[in-house]
Amino acid sequence: MTVTEKVAYLKGLMEGLDFQADTKEGKIIKLMADILGDLAEEVISVQDDVDDINEYLEALDEDLTNVEEELFGECDDEDCCCCCDDDDDEEDCYEVTCPHCGNNICFEEMPEDKTFPCPACSKEIPLED
């Protein structure tokens, strides 16, 4: 039973049990039931917002994965973003370790710039020849 269903059940009980809303206690209980109803509606609204945000984050994660694959090649191994350890030497692979955070970055082609930002910590990494 959801929260809104429980609040509706409570209000139904109050009506069915000949609840006296004109007494001091009755006014308080009726007000509490109304507040519970408002809170239940707010919880539903927040849950809907959270669901929308989760969908958006999943789409962003998928887009980011596509960008990473485009920039660094397809990633099968968690430690290295390319196939550096494969025995087939058809393609050269360049691996750089970030001196700031220790993240391993692999390139299929060496970047032309002398420095580039680390994808993990965003600090500049100098490239050696």
Side-chain angles (χ1 to χ4, degrees):
M1 192 181 286
T2 66
V3 176
T4 53
E5 291 171 339
K6 289 178 181 180
V7 171
Y9 178 73
L10 174 65
K11 288 183 177 183
L13 275 177
M14 289 169 57
E15 288 178 16
L17 295 175
D18 194 29
F19 177 73
Q20 301 297 321
D22 55 348
T23 65
K24 291 179 189 178
E25 295 85 7
K27 289 177 183 178
I28 292 172
I29 292 172
K30 181 173 181 339
L31 179 62
M32 290 172 66
D34 291 340
I35 291 171
L36 284 174
D38 294 343
L39 287 172
E41 289 176 14
E42 188 68 28
V43 166
I44 290 172
S45 174
V46 168
Q47 185 60 50
D48 289 343
D49 291 345
V50 167
D51 291 342
D52 291 343
I53 290 170
N54 280 334
E55 286 179 27
Y56 182 71
L57 283 175
E58 287 174 8
L60 279 177
D61 184 47
E62 187 176 314
D63 291 345
L64 181 59
T65 299
N66 293 338
V67 169
E68 287 174 343
E69 287 175 0
E70 187 70 28
L71 289 175
F72 304 113
E74 197 160 330
C75 183
D76 292 330
D77 187 9
E78 289 183 24
D79 293 332
C80 181
C81 290
C82 70
C83 304
C84 294
D85 297 330
D86 288 349
D87 291 333
D88 56 349
D89 293 328
E90 294 179 282
E91 293 184 31
D92 289 333
C93 182
Y94 303 97
E95 182 175 358
V96 177
T97 301
C98 176
H100 307 288
C101 69
N103 185 38
N104 288 333
I105 304 129
C106 297
F107 301 99
E108 290 178 9
E109 296 178 12
M110 188 59 94
E112 293 178 13
D113 297 334
K114 300 244 184 218
T115 64
F116 68 96
C118 174
C121 69
S122 301
K123 293 183 180 176
E124 288 293 317
I125 300 174
L127 290 178
E128 298 174 5
D129 292 332

